Amino acid sequence: MLSVLRLRRLIRQVPLQTSFIFLFLLCILSVFLSSYFLYAVKRKLEPSLTAGHSADDLYVTPSRPLPFLSGVGGTLSSDGTRTDPVVLVFVESPYSQLGQEIVAILEAARFRYRTEISPGKGDMPTLTDGQRGHFVLIIYENILKYVNMDAWNRELLDRYCIEFGVGMIGFFKANENSLLSAQLKGFPLFLHSNLGLKDCTVNPKSPLLHITRARQVFSGPLPGDDWTIFQSNHSTYEPVLLAKTRSAESTGLMHTSVVQDLGLHDGIQRVLFGHNLSFWLHKLVFVDALSFLTAKRLSLSLKRFILVDIDDIFVGKEGTRMKVADVKALVETQNELRRSIPDFTFNLGFSGKFFHAGTDEEDQGDDLLLSYVDEFWWFPHMWSHMQPHRFHNQSVLAEQMMLNRRFAEDHSIPTHLGYAVAPHHSGVYPVHIQLYEAWKRVWDIRVTSTEEYPHLKPARFRRGFIHRGIRVLPRQTCGLFTHTIFHKDYPGGPQELERIIDGGELFLTVLLNPDPCEDKRHKDIWSKEKTCDRFPKLLLIGPQKTGATALYLFLGMHPDLSSNCPSKETFEEIQFFSGHNYHRGIDWYMEYFPLPSNSSSDYYFEKSASYFDSDVAAVRAAALLPRARIITVLSDPVERAYAWYQHQRAHGDPVALKYSFHDVIKASHNAPVKLQVLQKRCLAPGWYATHLSRWLQHYHHDQILVVDGQTLKTDPATVMQKIQTFLGLENQVDYHKILAFDPKKGFWCQLLDGGRTKCLGKSKGQRYPDMDKQSQVFLRSYYRDANIQLSKLLYKTAQVLPGWLREDLLNIR
């Protein structure tokens, strides 16, 4: 108190003039401080457009290859298993070009992914399951969808990324409405948009690089005039790609077109692209970003295996065959390639009948080529260049092959290389046993390749396979196949060839490594007795113990619907797409369906309840039957689980007979293996949203109908009317007139003449003892979240919620 009084007395003694001077000095200091914070600090955060990096600075000033931070995006827990190796891709629409390009790269690299429409104020997909994250990486086709997300979902996603160490990739592509300069909302990062760029280079110090190499500048303009560059002085941002602007005012400085966020700002690592993937270097950096942000969990090997086939080495009309100069150029090219690719060797295909069939100059070229016989690999076509799959006479095929083999022996051409020996225009098709036997007898084939077999577009869907001990490679997967001999005559012109090399199909094939019934070439190699009309147009996929067998019976009552023939092993079910039967081939599958009549109303269907929860059935079915209709019957998962347990008891399953239902569903991970297996078959099929989502990844939701199992049980005629409309059947049947309720069986049966009924067997529709209350309470809790997810999924796909599901949701508090 005494100090305060002394201060007041001192101030009173200060002259008025001195007080004014003191106040003036305080004002000057205030202005100075305000100017500093409003100008200098902001200038540090927001560089001008003219600011940039000189090309020399990139190689002198080291960037910050900071290690991953504990708990920051991109890191993994010590066991490396906190997240599933699945990428969550937010797209603007199912048909957006950039979204499809992102998915194409993920598919080609065999990386698992899930696509979602970018949420605005809608629900975010489920990110976690207990202590485990569902996704290892987040990708936004439009990063602004993330930046402008509602606060609730934004906080939910950011918290997930930080907690589980998940990174993010985003793309920013300007349009006519984009601001020329703006700050990215919530980030110390500034964007300058709608620019033309040129002369791109890679920052050699970027920690992101894996496949990408920073060896030279990509000279020339970058595609498009709608590029965005990133600028910031915050230490969290590191340039990955840099380029100059194309404007007349360009100072020659380098500006960042791809930037890496090290996570120092908010704990989340990101890689942001200032354009889409049309520029080939962006594809490389995108693949590297996948690797870096997932701690190499989603990473491609640096090894590549390239085989170049040169077909029909002696085949061709005069004027198009190889001359001496061409052969020398071939050898020189091979030697040049070997400087970059050790032991690279061209693979030459030959038909001996056409040797020395050109002009004198071309015949000299043939002789010179054979003088280099040991410099190349060789593979045989047919002697007369015929297409072997069109012939079914094994002796003729063997004779043709033997003639070519004798030619090879006469000219010291190796007749067995162990691999890369490929007959022309045909692979090892399971439908051509004679061809297979002839090959084995004459050539001892172990590895072959095929002409785009399977003939799938795009090429990333093709896979090799093994048939009867022969390894079959998918051939011509890079789009280079052409009948054109001369460079200037390449289809589409030489510029088209350059396009597929610079970021096109050939580029992606080296970087990353249609439906058979829609493909004319697949049809051409089939026998005339084969027809895709024998394949089903409808799949009834289950799951088990929901009423699918009853629906199978009702469908078979329709005059336009024909079911498959019964299987000796699995009765009415073929179980082709879900088990070992798949490897028996499509001919085996086709034999279960009758030959089609001339009627246009033929509509085949099959029912296999194991399809619904199979990990592989959906993708396999979509590959063969992409236009098929899918029906699933969903009943209360609690009742379904109990019905499966009682079904197993009725069939004498020793585990089900030994343990009570409650013991089964509550079994721990330390329980006997057979008990755990029974538990999984009781519980897992009831995760309806999980399994249905898998089918929706491969079929449009308009192709899938969800049937309420309870309504099917109580009012099947109404359900059948809905199904007939869904299938678009010409003949509409009134099922009220052909179904009758059988009080003894307790369900609806087929009504026959004279009022008699035809019902399912004794194992169907059984009445079981009531489930114990304790198990009911446990299962209601167990399936609660799964049922909530199912309701969201059905709402999203415009499906009607089953009555049992609506009732269950009402009871959730």
Side-chain angles (χ1 to χ4, degrees), residues 779-789 808 812-813:
L779 288 178
R780 289 294 168 203
S781 175
Y782 178 83
Y783 284 119
R784 180 182 59 191
D785 291 343
N787 285 345
I788 292 173
Q789 290 302 315
D808 187 75
I812 294 177
R813 292 183 175 86

Side-chain angles (χ1 to χ4, degrees), residues 536-779:
K537 299 177 183 177
L538 166 64
L539 296 179
L540 180 53
I541 62 174
Q544 294 159 321
K545 308 310 294 181
T546 59
T549 303
L551 181 55
Y552 173 81
L553 173 65
F554 299 157
L555 289 169
M557 295 164 57
H558 197 287
D560 291 346
L561 297 175
S562 299
S563 67
N564 56 276
C565 302
S567 166
K568 295 180 180 179
E569 300 175 5
T570 50
F571 305 101
E572 80 274 6
E573 297 191 356
I574 306 178
Q575 298 181 1
F576 176 65
F577 296 110
S578 58
H580 67 278
N581 288 335
Y582 185 73
H583 300 287
R584 296 181 176 182
I586 57 178
D587 283 358
W588 179 90
Y589 182 55
M590 189 182 296
E591 290 301 319
Y592 278 93
F593 299 93
L595 288 171
S597 66
N598 293 326
S599 172
S600 60
S601 63
D602 282 335
Y603 206 117
Y604 296 151
F605 72 95
E606 70 127 321
K607 168 248 176 184
S608 293
S610 59
Y611 289 170
F612 177 75
D613 56 305
S614 166
D615 291 335
V616 296
V619 63
R620 289 174 173 179
L624 183 64
L625 310 171
R627 288 186 169 83
R629 297 280 175 154
I630 310 297
I631 294 179
T632 179
V633 184
L634 301 185
S635 63
D636 188 335
V638 174
E639 296 178 1
R640 196 220 69 83
Y642 186 59
W644 179 255
Y645 168 78
Q646 292 292 349
H647 174 80
Q648 292 302 98
R649 284 180 62 90
H651 284 76
D653 183 344
V655 180
L657 293 172
K658 180 178 179 180
Y659 295 95
S660 70
F661 180 59
H662 191 71
D663 290 338
V664 172
I665 62 176
K666 292 281 289 182
S668 70
H669 65 278
N670 295 322
V673 174
K674 291 184 178 180
L675 178 56
Q676 293 186 55
V677 171
L678 177 59
Q679 181 193 58
K680 183 176 181 181
R681 291 312 305 155
C682 285
L683 299 180
W687 306 334
Y688 292 152
T690 299
H691 305 311
L692 187 57
S693 295
R694 189 182 302 115
W695 284 90
L696 285 166
Q697 289 177 9
H698 301 284
Y699 286 94
H700 192 272
H701 63 80
D702 288 341
Q703 294 176 261
I704 299 178
L705 177 65
V706 175
V707 170
D708 184 344
Q710 184 61 33
T711 305
L712 178 65
K713 185 177 180 180
T714 58
D715 188 11
T718 300
V719 172
M720 294 309 299
Q721 180 60 46
K722 183 177 181 180
I723 289 176
Q724 291 178 85
T725 302
F726 170 69
L727 299 179
L729 299 179
E730 296 179 6
N731 299 317
Q732 294 287 312
V733 174
D734 185 358
Y735 274 80
H736 290 95
K737 298 179 180 179
I738 59 175
L739 291 178
F741 185 77
D742 189 315
K744 293 183 179 180
K745 295 288 291 186
F747 54 84
W748 293 78
C749 304
Q750 182 179 2
L751 181 61
L752 303 177
D753 295 338
R756 295 177 297 107
T757 57
K758 177 183 178 182
C759 299
L760 296 173
K762 295 180 180 181
S763 64
K764 304 297 181 181
Q766 292 187 7
R767 293 184 175 90
Y768 304 126
D770 292 339
M771 190 190 320
D772 64 279
K773 187 67 174 178
Q774 194 177 10
S775 295
Q776 289 188 43
V777 172
F778 171 78
L779 288 178

Side-chain angles (χ1 to χ4, degrees), residues 173 191 228 234 286 424 439 529 602 611 727 746 773:
K173 185 177 180 183
L191 315 177
T228 295
H234 198 292
F286 176 74
H424 184 55
W439 284 340
E529 300 82 25
D602 282 335
Y611 289 170
L727 299 179
K773 187 67 174 178

Side-chain angles (χ1 to χ4, degrees), residues 152-223:
W152 173 266
N153 281 323
R154 173 68 181 273
E155 182 181 358
L156 186 69
L157 183 58
D158 285 355
R159 189 166 65 245
Y160 170 79
C161 289
I162 294 171
E163 180 179 349
F164 287 90
V166 172
M168 186 178 297
I169 297 175
F171 294 84
F172 185 93
K173 185 177 180 183
N175 55 45
E176 62 275 7
N177 298 319
S178 301
L179 295 175
L180 295 182
S181 296
Q183 183 176 358
L184 193 62
K185 179 181 175 183
F187 295 90
L189 183 66
F190 293 84
L191 315 177
H192 302 282
S193 301
N194 287 312
L195 299 172
L197 300 182
K198 65 178 181 179
D199 301 342
C200 184
T201 189
V202 181
N203 177 11
K205 301 296 184 179
S206 171
L208 189 76
L209 306 184
H210 176 55
I211 295 178
T212 310
R213 292 290 180 267
R215 292 183 177 175
Q216 62 185 35
V217 176
F218 174 80
S219 301
L222 276 60

